[in-house]
Amino acid sequence: MAPERSTGNRIGAEDIRRRKGGVPIVCLTAYTYPIARMLDPHVDLLLVGDSVAMVLHGHATTLGASLEMMIAHGQAVMRGSAKACVVVDMPAGSYEVSVAQAVASARLIIGETGCQAVKLEGGVDMAAQIAAIVAEGIPVMGHIGLQPQSVDKDGGYKIKGRSRENIAALFRDAEAVEKTGAFSVVIEGTVEAVASDLPRHIAIPTIGIGASGDCDGQILVVDDMIGMTVDRVPKFVKEYAKLRDTIADAAARYADEVRSRAFPGPDHVFSAASGKDQA
């Protein structure tokens, strides 16, 4: 059963499409209700990324994400969001096998979460899947360049656009994603000079991550952006806060106060007087 939809004037996929060449589109990932609530007033698009497998569940790659995982986090983000366009990643294994599988997975995600769109990785190789999902009336965000779901096939996280053959493939992928009806496309981990040409080559918005400032918008993993990443921080990330330090400091001070019996103090316990205070 789908959760209740948020009310209000929510940004839709077509609103994002119309932003091509305009004010840059602000995107961040979100995986939980409180983060979605905090980010929603400031962004145009929230992506429930399959990066949740790494960020929240401790997997080594995004391949640890499942359809059930994406739906659960998608529901949480939809409950916390009222304005942003919410896009949910289709995890590896949920769309590549066949067009029928892709359509069934997309329907399930939309039906269970009420999100505005789905995202999948691939260009020319996934053109049939994108076209079929769009034909069902489900908006699709594409994803080209470095594709985290292909990390095993590619032999690691390799930057794209460093050879003539790969540059030509990137442009073919961008054209395929546009032609099949996607409303936007993420360009990840691509040489800046190449990524800066792609937005001028296609008529749908390009969302950069480790790509180019010339893209029509930008996205980061929220935990990277706020300084919560506990492992390696990618080169393309700018940390706008250092919450790792804040949390570690708070935990240390809490531990000291518990061990010294300074916490809980009088303000944090309940009196015998009925109705004097509430939990």
Side-chain angles (χ1 to χ4, degrees):
M1 180 179 176
E4 64 275 14
R5 290 174 182 261
S6 301
T7 58
N9 297 319
R10 185 182 288 279
I11 297 168
E14 283 306 307
D15 298 315
I16 298 296
R17 187 196 296 269
R18 288 192 289 268
R19 294 278 295 275
K20 175 71 177 180
V23 176
I25 302 161
V26 180
C27 313
L28 282 168
T29 66
Y31 317 112
T32 65
Y33 169 82
I35 289 294
R37 284 199 61 175
M38 287 185 272
L39 300 182
D40 193 61
H42 307 288
V43 303
D44 303 304
L45 186 148
L46 289 172
L47 173 65
V48 186
D50 57 1
S51 48
V52 67
M54 302 170 70
V55 174
L56 294 189
H57 294 273
H59 290 276
T61 71
T62 64
L63 299 178
S66 66
L67 201 54
E68 293 75 18
M69 185 187 295
M70 299 312 303
I71 287 170
H73 288 285
Q75 291 171 338
V77 169
M78 280 298 292
R79 294 186 192 108
S81 167
K83 175 184 77 74
C85 178
V86 176
V87 181
V88 176
D89 257 337
M90 299 183 71
S94 70
Y95 62 92
E96 305 96 312
V97 172
S98 68
V99 165
Q101 181 202 35
V103 170
S105 296
R107 282 177 179 164
L108 185 63
I109 290 171
I110 293 288
E112 291 293 317
T113 68
C115 68
Q116 282 64 64
V118 297
K119 181 174 79 65
L120 59 83
E121 296 182 9
V124 173
D125 58 336
M126 288 297 129
Q129 279 88 334
I130 296 172
I133 296 170
V134 171
E136 289 288 315
I138 298 172
V140 175
M141 171 181 271
H143 186 143
I144 64 173
L146 191 158
Q147 298 170 36
Q149 292 179 9
S150 299
V151 62
D152 289 344
K153 180 176 68 177
D154 287 351
Y157 295 99
K158 296 184 177 179
I159 300 304
K160 305 300 181 180
R162 287 180 168 160
S163 70
R164 288 184 180 180
E165 294 78 11
N166 186 243
I167 292 170
L170 281 166
F171 278 84
R172 289 195 298 271
D173 283 341
E175 291 167 359
V177 170
E178 177 187 19
K179 184 177 179 180
T180 51
F183 72 93
S184 62
V185 59
V186 171
I187 302 172
E188 180 171 359
T190 299
V191 171
E192 198 278 335
V194 178
S196 66
D197 282 342
L198 286 167
R200 294 185 285 272
H201 190 72
I202 57 176
I204 59 174
T206 55
I207 308 299
I209 177 168
S212 172
D214 289 335
C215 288
D216 299 289
Q218 299 293 326
I219 188 166
L220 284 176
V221 169
V222 65
D223 292 66
D224 290 344
M225 188 272 290
I226 61 177
M228 279 275 287
T229 302
V230 295
D231 297 316
R232 187 184 70 85
V233 178
K235 171 185 171 62
F236 55 78
V237 170
K238 179 175 180 179
E239 294 185 329
Y240 288 81
K242 300 282 188 181
L243 294 194
R244 282 185 303 272
D245 298 339
T246 302
I247 292 169
D249 178 66
R253 290 191 291 115
Y254 167 72
D256 287 344
E257 291 196 4
V258 169
R259 290 174 182 134
S260 68
R261 297 193 185 277
F263 177 84
D267 292 340
H268 308 108
V269 293
F270 300 106
S271 66
S274 176
K276 185 176 180 180
D277 44 27
Q278 297 179 346

